[in-house]
Amino acid sequence: MVPTIERMEVIPVAGYDSMLLNLAGAHGPFFTRNIVVLTDGEGYVGVGEVPGGEIITKRLESCIPVVEGSKLGQYKNTVLACQHLLEEQMKTGAATSVSDPKTAHGQIFSKVTNVLTGVETPLLDLLAKHMEVPVAALLGDGQVREDVRFLAYLFYVGDRKKTDLPYLHDDDASDEWGRVRREPALTPEAIVHQAEAAQERFGFHDFKLKGGVFAGAEEIKAVRALKERFPEARITIDPNAGWSLAESVELCRDLTGILTYCEDPCGAEGRFSSRETMAEFRRLTGLPTATNMCDTDWREMKNAIRLDSVSIPLADPHFWTMQGCVRVAQLCDAFDLTWGVHSNNHFDISLAMVANAGAAAPGRLNALDTHYIWQDGQHLGKEAPKFHDGCLTVPRDGVGLGVEIDRAKLEAAHKLYADNNCGTRDDAAGMQYLIPGWTYDPHRPAMVR
Ligand code: GKR
Ligand code: MG
């Protein structure tokens, strides 16, 4: 007998974050996510995690009547029915009072796929549990690896003591990473120290520095310092398209052998699209490019490929869906591109989603992005994820996503969300403590005012 989905719960949650700096400002003390829990008629539970914010919560809730009562074996048709419903809502503005606001980074904040991933993932988790296989075995052409490599995502960190916001501190004395991730990091030396501490705890071999904070030349000093300290590492910087094409070329043209690739150095300029400027950057510097900004759906992908703009599409399952991001990996494999993954702050469920997608992604992989190191210790599952040598393992004999939800932790994360009235991410608010009256400018590093 094929089980039926009896209950769909949509639970907005929050976790603690450090004062991480980026082009859009400073992360606040809390990050938010939406967790979806499905329970079927046999008592099996499937989970999924997608970006936070009320719009996504409401759109997920609007899918409940479609999902509840559906047969698990029909999961693809259930996702399809939700897609039709959501596309209709997008047209009419239903299930939300705001229509598609853009984030400061220019990526669409609430895509249909953000919500669909929230339906698709727990269905896949349930199905995999019934079939006694890992979710990776149900994706693409099946599981191709067990060890999935991640990178250390380094950030400049603001001084929380300059705010009266409830940032977490002194919460983890277990090692240097526990301490360093809550302290200000505003120099190349501090970034190298962060990298050392992250490597010691997690074993990473690759590093990504979030740029767009200080003047480009200053950030390139940090990149050079990282390469000097870790000569074997693959190193990248991501200013979220905050540099002009001319500036990006000026900053990066002599960095072959230092910068392995460059993520979103520049964006649209006047008559030229970001896919055009990225292609010019590639040609003029000889450096591979990665993006989570100009190649985020199939239409953008089609144009990025025709223009040869992107070497490493960062196909985050949260905006491509689980099946969709593996489809991107298959395309990368066939088209001599390198598959990677974009991230935002997240809990362990998203980490497991990315690991399972990575385990099913054929071909050459870039070490995958994750913010999880900033959240390590705040897992919602019964067991904490364990990195070894910079990798997470998705065992071939594992079951489902590999996260057994801890109801007490989930409830506490929801309480944190509700008690602090957490809404949509607003990095300008934190930044205004550091620079009074600060406003976002997509073409100027956050600290350059
Ligand atoms: O967490 O500040 C951040 C990042 O800047 C994030 O918002 C980006 O979406 O990590 C992302 C990226 O690679 O651009
Ligand atoms: Mg990026």
Side-chain angles (χ1 to χ4, degrees), residues 22 27 105 107 153 155 208 210 238 240 263 292 342-344 369 371 425:
N22 68 89
H27 289 202
H105 289 157
Q107 73 205 28
Y153 199 159
F155 279 82
K208 160 171 167 174
K210 174 54 54 176
D238 173 14
N240 283 111
E263 181 173 331
N292 61 276
H342 154 269
S343 82
N344 264 312
D369 286 21
H371 281 58
R425 172 176 164 184

Side-chain angles (χ1 to χ4, degrees), residues 357-375:
R364 242 165 62 85
L365 259 55
N366 200 60
L368 308 184
D369 286 21
T370 177
H371 281 58
Y372 193 71
I373 59 175
W374 300 92
Q375 272 67 57

